[in-house]
Amino acid sequence: MVIERAALRWPATACVFVVATWLNMHLQPQLDGRAPLLPYFPALVIVGLLCGIGPAVALLIASVLAVLYFWIEPIGAILPITRLADVELIALFIGSGALVAAVSARAGRLTRKEKLARQRLSLAVAAGRMVTWDWSRHDGYATTAGAPKEIFGRDWATMEDMLASLSDDDRASFLDRYRYASEAGGRFSLVALIHRSDEGQDVWAQFDGHVVLDAKGRALHAYGVVVDITVQQEALRASQFAEQRFELALHSGKVMAWEADAQARYTWVFIVPFGIHRDALIGAEVGSIARQPEVAKTVLESIRSGRPLTVSQTAAYRGEELQLLTSMKPVVGDDGTVRRVLGATVDVTELTRAQARLQHESQLKDTFLATLAHELRNPMAPIRYSVDVLRRRTNDGESLKVLDVIARQSAHMARLLDDLLDMSRITRNAIELKRELVDLRTVVKQALDAVEPLYVQKQHRVALSLPPQPIMVDGDSTRLQQVLGNLLSNAAKYSPVPGEVRVDLEVDGSHGKVSVIDRGIGIAPEHQGRVFELFSRVDSSGAAPTGLGIGLAVSRQLVELHGGTISVSSDGPGHGSRFIVCLPLAAQADARARAGLSEAPPMPDAQGARVLVVDDNKDGADTLAAALNDVGFEAEVAYSGEAALDAYDAGRHDVVLLDVGLPGLSGLDVASHLRRVAGQDVVLIAITGWGQPHDRMATASAGFDAHLVKPVEFSVLNATIRDLTRPSHRGASGKP
């Protein structure tokens, strides 16, 4: 035992000195004073071991003084030495005592170091969850250090105890390796599962042993350590699984992960999806796989700047063109310089091809929709013109009702065609606005006029609230009418018959606000968020919704293009709906409009104007000419471009209504010829099923004054002709 606390060493030394002196006093009378130094030698050994060299030297000095005082003649004197023999005795005691003290102190220090080493070993064994063992070859007894029962489920007294929890295969493997080490000497190792019967769990353990041979080469004993490596094994397996998942992800996505040094050379590559062995890339420049030096230059730029970069490249490999996308991120050291570059190269060839196919299919779809709308509009035009002619020539009430049905259904068909085309424009973000200063009061009135037949049929009443002053916005009047027309049509369709719809127009701060309120079926709260989505059709009544589910999506797009918002609110099914359109007010309103003078003057009479109708659809041309004749025009027809030129040369008409898609000589060619021949003396109006922006640009370039899309409302056509032929317009255009 070594006294650790320094404060206790000196009292212990004093106690040993007192005991040794007391024992000497009892022994010397019996020994006739022949061995006064004898009790102090074991005292020096004890103090040296327990207290160290300092207390041992102090004890030696105290012992010398005690011997001189109590047992050297004359007794009781401080320096009683009178004989040479006594001097020699004291000198011999001092020398031998100093040697004993030094050896004892050295032994004490070694004992303390050994104790500390054992403590450290025990701590390391406990912290590392390991058990040390020493196995005697002769008696089979195993000594252990650590906690085998706590770690592995049982105490080990013999080697069989240590191996008892292993599987048969692992036990056999251990004994085979031990047998080999016993013959050759040296180390053996094994990683195996130990089954803990107390907890029913398996523990991964690593056995490391060493066999010591005697002088004759026979196994003398074995020693070693068993370490619980369960956590490491689980981490290793988790790392392996993560690497497998990472590799699978890279394989699936055709991704190559890589690292490069500061000279843009590959230093590590993981998964090459291009059929190249990774060893062939190590040391090569980044981008060499695609034979594109500019990629390596890009990497060098990234290294110099220290900024992440992404570069797209086209590579030709084994006769195939690849589209690659490379992203890279420099790794900057503490000194601010780039040490390496992390990167990933993705093969996006299939994705690029798929995107190209989708784009091509989208173009085909848009072309198909435009062609479909054009072909459907052609038969719609003569139907509607025929209705207008018959309505003016018929007085029979039943016939008029039938004509009203035809007119309503053809108008509905025309709206569906418009929605179909608008859907295509929305998906391509191709809706364009023809902005001008517009009074929202006029827009609301025109929208109500457009849906009036539907409201009459449904027996709905409209409560209209308009302010006395103009509410001016910068917008496309036709598109804004389309928005309000959609809202008013929905209010009519989803309201009980007869019903009431309220339309309020007011100024709300810097916005004009139009509210369309009905008392119809309402909208459930969970459906209100998606009523403006494309193809969304919601009918809380349970009936099958009508329409294409496009109208409200188109309306939202149009309102947002105007810089406004559209929203809906409803208290739920059966409680009606409220749609609100907010549009920013124009910064500067026309003075005439503010004064309420924006109304157009009465349409001048175009009685007797000569009109040439040119259309290869004979029914359409004939019915339109008949309708024009009924309202006072002098209309003729031509069914081809060549016939149109001959007819114009013969009649010198005031207005020519031209279908653009004529066989042979197209409407654009006819218009260009007439504009060269007649100059501004003739009004050219395109009537066609094509209404996209590039179609309108083409007709404007050919010299047309107006572009109308089939089927054209006859009232709109009539108004357009009268407007373009009035004197003020012709004078402004340079016409006589």
Side-chain angles (χ1 to χ4, degrees):
M1 176 182 177
V2 178
I3 299 176
E4 300 291 344
R5 297 180 61 182
L8 297 179
R9 293 174 185 172
W10 294 103
T13 301
C15 291
V16 172
F17 172 74
V18 171
V19 170
T21 302
W22 176 82
L23 181 62
N24 207 12
M25 288 182 176
H26 285 76
L27 288 177
Q28 291 309 314
Q30 300 178 16
L31 299 175
D32 296 330
R34 291 179 301 206
L37 302 176
L38 183 62
Y40 293 108
F41 281 104
L44 287 172
V45 173
I46 293 173
V47 172
L49 286 173
L50 299 181
C51 301
I53 187 66
V57 171
L59 176 63
L60 177 61
I61 295 172
S63 300
V64 169
L65 294 176
V67 169
L68 291 174
Y69 189 82
F70 290 109
W71 290 286
I72 299 297
E73 297 293 339
I75 296 173
I78 299 300
L79 293 173
I81 299 177
T82 58
R83 296 179 301 171
L84 180 60
D86 292 335
V87 174
E88 293 175 347
L89 178 66
I90 294 300
L92 180 62
F93 174 66
I94 293 174
S96 59
L99 180 61
V100 169
V103 172
S104 299
R106 174 66 176 173
R109 287 196 299 272
L110 293 177
T111 301
R112 286 194 293 272
K113 288 183 179 180
E114 181 185 4
K115 180 181 178 182
L116 181 60
R118 287 198 304 269
Q119 291 175 342
R120 290 173 177 171
L121 177 61
S122 298
L123 180 62
V125 168
R129 293 185 62 81
M130 64 180 67
V131 177
T132 61
W133 54 271
D134 196 311
W135 183 30
S136 173
R137 172 74 174 176
H138 300 293
D139 55 17
Y141 183 76
T143 58
T144 60
K149 185 173 184 179
E150 178 183 344
I151 300 173
F152 301 111
R154 61 183 301 169
D155 290 321
W156 297 341
T158 65
M159 183 65 71
E160 288 300 321
D161 292 337
M162 186 172 68
L163 303 180
S165 299
L166 297 180
S167 66
D168 294 340
D169 292 339
D170 288 337
R171 187 184 301 110
S173 296
F174 182 91
L175 293 176
D176 287 342
R177 299 182 187 193
Y178 167 73
R179 190 176 299 111
Y180 179 81
S182 298
E183 296 173 355
R187 181 177 179 272
F188 63 95
S189 180
L190 176 71
V191 174
L193 277 173
I194 294 180
H195 180 72
R196 294 193 57 161
S197 57
D198 56 340
E199 296 181 355
Q201 296 180 348
D202 291 330
V203 179
W204 282 98
Q206 179 170 334
F207 295 82
D208 285 293
H210 192 276
V211 178
V212 179
L213 304 181
D214 61 12
K216 296 181 179 181
R218 294 173 300 185
L220 184 62
H221 74 279
Y223 61 89
V225 63
V226 184
V227 185
D228 177 8
I229 60 171
T230 304
V231 175
Q232 293 90 326
Q233 285 293 110
E234 291 178 349
L236 177 61
R237 294 177 66 186
S239 176
Q240 291 173 343
F241 290 149
E243 184 173 348
Q244 291 173 358
R245 289 192 292 267
F246 178 59
E247 184 172 351
L248 178 61
L250 294 182
H251 268 302
S252 301
K254 293 187 176 181
V255 180
M256 180 181 76
W258 53 269
E259 289 185 16
D261 58 19
Q263 286 73 43
R265 295 173 301 199
Y266 289 114
T267 57
W268 173 84
V269 179
F270 190 79
I271 303 298
V272 182
F274 315 112
I276 302 177
H277 195 275
R278 67 183 67 184
D279 293 339
L281 288 176
I282 301 302
E285 283 191 342
V286 175
S288 60
I289 184 175
R291 296 182 177 87
Q292 290 186 328
E294 62 270 17
V295 178
K297 294 179 181 178
T298 304
V299 177
L300 291 175
E301 291 177 5
S302 177
I303 294 173
R304 286 193 294 267
S305 64
R307 295 193 305 269
L309 289 177
T310 299
V311 58
S312 178
Q313 59 196 113
T314 301
Y317 181 72
R318 292 182 178 178
E320 182 182 5
E321 186 177 274
L322 302 177
Q323 296 293 329
L324 306 178
L325 185 65
T326 299
S327 298
M328 59 199 76
K329 179 182 180 181
V331 178
V332 181
D334 296 336
D335 58 354
T337 61
V338 175
R339 302 297 180 83
R340 56 196 175 103
V341 179
L342 304 179
T345 299
V346 187
D347 181 3
V348 295
T349 305
E350 293 183 4
L351 178 61
T352 303
R353 291 172 180 170
Q355 289 176 338
R357 286 195 300 269
L358 287 175
Q359 185 176 5
H360 177 65
E361 291 172 0
S362 177
Q363 292 174 348
L364 291 178
K365 179 259 298 178
D366 292 336
T367 302
F368 168 75
L369 289 177
T371 304
L372 177 64
H374 176 268
E375 294 302 323
L376 291 177
R377 279 170 166 167
N378 279 332
M380 288 296 300
I383 293 174
R384 303 190 71 178
Y385 299 149
S386 298
V387 169
D388 288 328
V389 172
L390 291 175
R391 186 177 284 160
R392 281 188 292 271
R393 297 180 181 182
T394 302
N395 295 323
D396 180 59
E398 293 299 324
S399 298
L400 289 174
K401 290 182 180 179
V402 173
L403 291 174
D404 289 340
V405 172
I406 297 174
R408 285 195 301 271
Q409 296 306 316
S410 60
H412 179 62
M413 181 66 73
R415 283 195 300 272
L416 291 178
L417 291 175
D418 289 336
D419 285 345
L420 196 63
L421 285 178
D422 282 339
M423 178 201 70
S424 174
R425 296 189 184 106
I426 284 177
T427 57
R428 294 181 293 110
N429 293 321
I431 290 182
E432 296 182 357
L433 302 180
K434 295 183 178 180
R435 290 180 176 271
E436 59 182 349
L437 208 58
V438 178
D439 186 352
L440 276 183
R441 297 180 306 168
T442 303
V443 173
V444 171
K445 291 178 181 178
Q446 291 171 342
L448 284 171
D449 290 341
V451 299
E452 182 179 2
L454 176 61
Y455 274 70
V456 172
Q457 176 196 0
K458 296 284 188 179
Q459 303 177 28
H460 292 324
R461 188 172 67 88
V462 177
L464 178 61
S465 174
L466 299 176
Q469 73 280 4
I471 300 180
M472 309 303 295
V473 298
D474 181 18
D476 186 327
S477 176
T478 302
R479 289 301 191 177
L480 293 178
Q481 290 178 44
Q482 181 181 350
V483 171
L484 296 180
N486 272 326
L487 300 183
L488 291 168
S489 296
N490 286 342
K493 287 192 295 184
Y494 296 115
S495 292
V497 178
E500 181 179 272
V501 176
R502 193 168 84 246
V503 180
D504 295 337
L505 175 60
E506 59 183 338
V507 175
D508 184 7
S510 61
H511 288 74
K513 184 170 72 173
V514 183
S515 302
V516 178
I517 308 164
D518 64 67
R519 299 177 183 176
I521 61 175
I523 305 173
E526 63 271 19
H527 294 155
Q528 294 177 21
R530 59 185 183 89
V531 295
F532 295 105
E533 295 177 1
L534 199 60
F535 307 122
S536 174
R537 302 190 300 170
V538 177
D539 191 340
S540 303
S541 67
T546 61
L548 300 176
I550 297 174
L552 289 178
V554 172
S555 297
R556 180 177 66 176
Q557 181 87 353
L558 293 175
V559 171
E560 290 177 352
L561 286 175
H562 283 84
T565 60
I566 183 171
S567 60
V568 61
S569 61
S570 175
D571 293 333
H575 293 84
S577 304
R578 179 188 184 99
F579 286 83
I580 300 176
V581 176
C582 286
L583 297 169
L585 297 176
Q588 293 181 347
D590 184 83
R592 184 165 176 244
R594 288 186 177 278
L597 300 177
S598 61
E599 298 294 334
M603 188 68 66
D605 188 7
Q607 188 78 17
R610 291 165 299 165
V611 179
L612 176 61
V613 180
V614 185
D615 198 329
D616 59 324
N617 185 329
K618 188 175 184 302
D619 290 339
D622 292 343
T623 53
L624 178 54
L628 291 170
N629 286 325
D630 282 351
V631 295
F633 294 103
E634 295 180 9
E636 298 180 25
V637 296
Y639 305 121
S640 67
E642 293 80 3
L645 295 179
D646 293 339
Y648 182 80
D649 290 339
R652 292 291 173 172
H653 302 83
D654 300 308
V655 180
V656 179
L657 307 181
L658 267 172
D659 180 20
V660 174
L662 294 173
L665 196 63
S666 71
L668 297 177
D669 295 333
V670 173
S672 299
H673 179 81
L674 292 178
R675 190 59 74 199
R676 288 194 303 269
V677 171
Q680 300 299 321
D681 292 338
V682 62
V683 173
L684 300 179
I685 300 176
I687 300 181
T688 175
W690 306 101
Q692 299 192 40
H694 64 272
D695 299 318
R696 298 181 182 274
M697 291 176 60
T699 56
S701 299
F704 282 96
D705 296 288
H707 184 116
L708 301 179
V709 180
K710 295 179 181 179
V712 183
E713 288 283 349
F714 184 75
S715 59
V716 174
L717 176 60
N718 187 13
T720 302
I721 295 175
R722 295 177 183 276
D723 182 55
L724 293 177
T725 55
R726 71 175 186 262
S728 59
H729 184 279
R730 294 172 66 88
S733 302
K735 300 176 182 180

